């Protein structure tokens, strides 16, 4: 999962006949010396540098990685920085030394007021410098842009860029043959973030009055065992909850295609790819109205409600169980087209070309 969204952006650009190389540095406490791995994935050259954990090791890894990029691939026309702070050192160097411009794509929820972990003098100074020297800053939601600006990260060129949804979410037809109506939730099981226990309490409440549905929960994470134990304490009816564990992306797509409703109840979010995937498959959404989600889901696509409002969630689920067929699959899929490789790749290429044309 590390860097998954970055990889999809890189592949989207590569599909537009650009020559793309990704340099990825990863600290590993289990190794004593630096290791470099290179591979090509879907047309993208990837250079991985694994290094023992220390600031000096990071700097050495960054230098070694850049040398490997030059040796195996060459000099870039433009760079894209995907994780700010110390990773900013290389694009800043390339801009000052070789006059190569760079852009920033930002996914991090740490700027959001509810989860704010953006702090530390050095971190802030590096982030501010990286933002200032970049040609454009591309958060994945307008809500994230506002949060970054509230953190003092001003820039005259902000532009929202969508994440990418895999092709196989678009290439299949929904097949709903099961007896019970099926609700799908996908989670990283970070309870402070995803509020899965809130979902379970509401499911318990609804199951006391009707039994014509089930909830499939996909994923694993830090709080997985805690959430499973909490579910057991609720004494839910047998068959109401299906736990799938972690699934490969193509298996996740199959889960969407046999589900009637997609459900999230997060306390905070940015621009969840799982909602993009729901739209791509034409699945109506119930979600808390947080982060960038209102930019993705409108009344044609589903229902939004207040975070932590369990009565509103119960009302929404009951309504959707009886009315999900009123949400038009083809209409929802039209909104999902904003997340295709082609759409996002063309947008990124246009931005790169515009920067290079005007850069001096």
């Amino acid at each position: 999962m590390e860097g998954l969204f970055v990889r999809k952006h890189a592949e989207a650009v590569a599909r537009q006949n650009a020559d793309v190389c990704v340099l990825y540095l990863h600290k590993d406490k289990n190794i004593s010396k630096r290791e470099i791995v290179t591979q090509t994935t879907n047309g993208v050259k990837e250079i991985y540098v694994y290094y023992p954990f220390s600031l000096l090791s990071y700097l050495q890894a960054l230098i070694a990685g850049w040398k490997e990029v030059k040796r195996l691939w060459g000099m870039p026309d433009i760079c894209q920085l995907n994780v700010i702070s110390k990773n900013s050192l290389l694009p800043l160097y390339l801009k000052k030394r070789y006059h190569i411009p760079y852009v920033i794509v930002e996914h991090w929820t740490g700027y959001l007021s509810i989860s704010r972990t953006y702090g530390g003098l050095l971190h802030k100074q590096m982030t501010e410098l990286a933002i200032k020297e970049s040609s454009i800053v591309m958060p994945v939601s307008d809500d994230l842009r506002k949060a970054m600006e509230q953190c003092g990260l001003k820039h005259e060129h902000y532009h929202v860029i969508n994440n990418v949804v895999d092709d196989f979410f678009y290439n299949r037809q929904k097949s709903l043959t099961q007896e019970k109506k099926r609700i799908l939730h996908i989670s990283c099981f970070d309870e402070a973030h995803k509020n899965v226990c809130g979902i379970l309490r509401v499911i318990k409440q609804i199951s006391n009055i009707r039994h014509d549905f089930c909830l499939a929960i996909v994923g694993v994470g830090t709080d997985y065992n805690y959430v499973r134990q909490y579910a057991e304490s609720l004494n839910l009816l047998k068959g109401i909850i299906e736990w799938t564990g972690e699934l490969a992306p193509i298996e996740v797509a199959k889960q969407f295609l046999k589900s009637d409703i997609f459900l999230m109840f997060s306390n905070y979010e940015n621009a969840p790819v799982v909602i993009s995937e729901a739209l791509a498959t034409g699945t109506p959404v119930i979600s808390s109205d947080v982060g960038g989600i209102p930019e993705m889901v409108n009344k044609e696509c589903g229902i939004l409600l207040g975070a932590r409002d369990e009565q509103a969630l119960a009302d929404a689920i009951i309504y959707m169980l009886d009315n999900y067929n009123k949400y038009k699959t083809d209409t929802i899929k039209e909104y999902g087209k904003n997340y295709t490789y082609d759409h996002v790749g063309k947008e990124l290429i246009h931005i790169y070309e515009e920067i290079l044309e005007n850069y001096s």
Side-chain angles (χ1 to χ4, degrees), residues 202 205-206 265 305-306 308-318:
V202 171
Q205 175 186 338
I206 298 172
F265 194 43
L305 48 100
R308 298 185 176 90
D309 189 340
E310 294 184 13
Q311 187 55 56
L313 179 61
D315 293 342
I317 292 174
I318 290 169

Side-chain angles (χ1 to χ4, degrees), residues 162-165 169-170 256 262 264 271-282 285 296-297 332-333 335-339:
N162 288 330
N163 283 310
V164 176
V165 171
F169 283 87
Y170 296 94
F256 273 106
F262 179 68
M264 292 187 74
V273 171
V274 286
I275 285 190
S276 308
E277 292 169 346
L279 300 179
T281 55
V285 173
M296 308 170 74
V297 177
I332 298 172
K333 283 184 174 182
Y335 291 104
K337 290 179 180 179
N338 293 321
Y339 308 96

Side-chain angles (χ1 to χ4, degrees), residues 176-199:
L176 306 176
T177 57
Q178 62 271 11
E179 293 181 6
K180 289 188 174 183
K181 298 162 186 178
R182 197 166 190 271
I183 305 168
L184 176 65
H185 173 70
I186 301 174
S187 186
C188 65
F189 286 90
D190 177 348
E191 190 58 16
H193 183 181
K194 300 296 183 180
N195 194 14
V196 186
C197 290
I199 292 175

